[in-house]
């Protein structure tokens, strides 16, 4: 018994190639480069209603977030500050980039 021919083309060959084409077109949708999973960026919200931060103790305001950085000035207890950025140092301690809300309006880093 011979293979079924459709206008000079074997039916099994057409079926095999159409299946292969279908798999080839659907496979990239599951790969990372094909965009199978879309990760939405997390939304970061800044809460304006929380008000300023206040220092509880006297603290040094540093030029940069490293332990060896020189101190710009010393902040008195109760100084109002606005948090600009948080940084995790190499030693595992956190640093806060703050803006002083008093008349001098200085910026610097506090070690937490």
């Amino acid at each position: 018994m011979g293979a079924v021919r459709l206008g000079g083309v074997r039916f099994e060959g057409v079926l095999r190639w159409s299946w292969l084409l279908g798999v080839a077109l659907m496979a990239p949708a599951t790969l990372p480069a094909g965009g199978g999973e879309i990760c939405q960026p997390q939304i970061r919200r800044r809460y304006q209603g929380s008000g300023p931060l206040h220092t509880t103790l006297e603290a040094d305001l540093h030029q940069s977030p490293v332990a060896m950085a020189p101190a710009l000035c010393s902040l008195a207890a109760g100084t109002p500050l606005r948090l600009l950025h948080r940084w995790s140092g190499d030693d595992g301690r956190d640093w806060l980039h703050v803006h002083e809300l008093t008349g001098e309006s200085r910026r610097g880093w506090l070690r937490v």
Side-chain angles (χ1 to χ4, degrees):
M1 185 168 243
V4 178
R5 292 188 167 271
L6 297 173
V9 180
R10 292 178 45 195
F11 183 69
E12 291 89 15
V14 170
L15 185 62
R16 184 177 341 152
W17 282 107
S18 61
W19 178 82
L20 182 62
L21 181 62
V23 169
L25 290 175
M26 297 307 257
T30 61
L31 297 174
E37 289 184 31
I38 299 173
C39 296
Q40 297 293 329
Q42 293 185 2
I43 298 172
R44 296 173 53 190
R45 299 179 193 267
R46 180 175 289 182
Y47 298 104
Q48 298 293 335
S50 62
L53 300 173
H54 294 277
T55 57
T56 56
L57 301 170
E58 188 173 309
D60 290 333
L61 193 64
H62 294 272
Q63 279 185 342
S64 62
V66 290
M68 307 276 265
L72 295 171
C73 66
S74 183
L75 299 175
T79 305
L81 304 168
R82 182 169 56 108
L83 179 64
L84 302 174
H85 187 72
R86 183 180 198 123
W87 182 268
S88 294
D90 293 336
D91 59 353
R93 299 212 31 204
D94 287 340
W95 289 82
L96 302 177
H97 189 206
V98 294
H99 179 217
E100 187 179 358
L101 297 177
T102 59
E104 297 191 29
S105 187
R106 294 177 282 208
R107 288 183 182 200
W109 292 87
L110 286 176
R111 190 172 184 180
V112 182

